[in-house]
Amino acid sequence: MGMGNQKPESQVNLTLPLVESAFLASTSSLIWLVNYYFPPGPLLRIFFPVPIALAYLRWGNRNAWMTMTVTGLLLTVLMGPTRSILFLIPFGLLGVQLGMMWKRGASWCLSIGLGTLLGAIGFFFKIWLVSILLGEDLWLYLMAQVTGLVDWMFLKLGLLAEPDIMVVQAIAVVMVLINNFIYLFVVHLVSSLLLEKLGNPIPLPPAWVEVLLDRE
């Protein structure tokens, strides 16, 4: 009798992580799908890496990678391999990275810093991939936009010098890093509130953020 009672419990323990991983993969795919076809602005983008990070917090490294893989397969079927890849890099990898950092109790500075670098790599990967698919160098288009911004800034400052191409590229890289830093900070803020309610809190934020969240 004792042995018979242990087997179903063992099966449940093995099945639950798989079921939750599949559910979180479906959730992640749905968020990306809805955001692509019915974009509500930056709102849903905040949640792109969160389901995969939650899978890591609840069930560890293996299930987080499984959740990311299943999400990629679902998106490949629903939207094609290109859009699936654009989710996996960087948002799928970000989910695993954030889950790992949060599971190990890393500080916000460390998890946001690494996430910012990973997000920037994902941005440049997207530029490279889309450039290949379109047959046009989108980096040159981006440089033209940044050059126009720098020219406007120089004009406002009363400078007559032409911006050097290296300066323009450096400004573009800095802008990408700042954008990803802000994005990761907002993801941490939202996750701090959301995942605590789900019973999987992330590490505590810096003291000034605690004051901002009114949790002192």
Side-chain angles (χ1 to χ4, degrees):
M1 293 296 290
M3 294 291 291
N5 290 334
Q6 291 178 0
K7 187 175 180 181
E9 183 180 352
S10 175
Q11 291 176 343
V12 170
N13 290 338
L14 291 174
T15 303
L16 185 58
L18 296 177
V19 172
E20 285 201 7
S21 297
F23 172 77
L24 290 170
S26 300
T27 302
S28 191
S29 302
L30 182 62
I31 293 172
W32 179 261
L33 189 70
V34 171
N35 185 79
Y36 184 83
Y37 289 108
F38 309 99
L43 178 62
L44 285 181
R45 188 170 180 264
I46 298 170
F47 297 98
F48 286 168
V50 175
I52 296 172
L54 179 57
Y56 200 115
L57 288 173
R58 289 185 61 80
W59 303 111
N61 180 67
R62 179 176 178 273
N63 284 85
W65 285 105
M66 184 186 303
T67 302
M68 191 188 87
T69 303
V70 173
T71 302
L73 292 174
L74 286 172
L75 290 176
T76 299
V77 172
L78 294 171
M79 304 178 71
T82 301
R83 296 187 179 96
S84 173
I85 292 173
L86 291 179
F87 171 82
L88 295 177
I89 305 174
F91 299 109
L93 295 176
L94 268 176
V96 176
Q97 178 258 325
L98 291 176
M100 179 179 65
M101 293 288 100
W102 293 341
K103 186 82 170 179
R104 298 181 180 182
S107 67
W108 279 35
C109 291
L110 180 59
S111 57
I112 290 176
L114 292 177
T116 297
L117 292 177
L118 186 55
I121 291 171
F123 174 82
F124 292 117
F125 173 81
K126 179 179 179 179
I127 291 291
W128 171 77
L129 179 62
V130 176
S131 296
I132 290 177
L133 295 176
L134 295 179
E136 297 181 9
D137 193 343
L138 294 185
W139 180 250
L140 295 179
Y141 173 78
L142 178 62
M143 288 301 97
Q145 298 300 311
V146 176
T147 301
L149 176 62
V150 174
D151 284 337
W152 177 82
M153 292 173 59
F154 278 21
L155 182 62
K156 291 297 181 181
L157 294 173
L159 301 176
L160 300 178
E162 286 288 332
D164 185 76
I165 184 62
M166 295 300 294
V167 173
V168 172
Q169 291 185 347
I171 291 174
V173 171
V174 170
M175 290 174 63
V176 170
L177 290 172
I178 291 174
N179 180 70
N180 279 280
F181 176 85
I182 295 172
Y183 171 72
L184 265 297
F185 180 73
V186 175
V187 169
H188 276 67
L189 280 179
V190 172
S191 299
S192 178
L193 300 171
L194 176 64
L195 299 186
E196 183 177 12
K197 295 183 181 299
L198 295 177
N200 297 97
I202 71 173
L204 292 175
W208 66 271
V209 179
E210 289 275 10
V211 174
L212 180 67
L213 297 175
D214 195 23
R215 299 198 304 193
E216 277 276 295

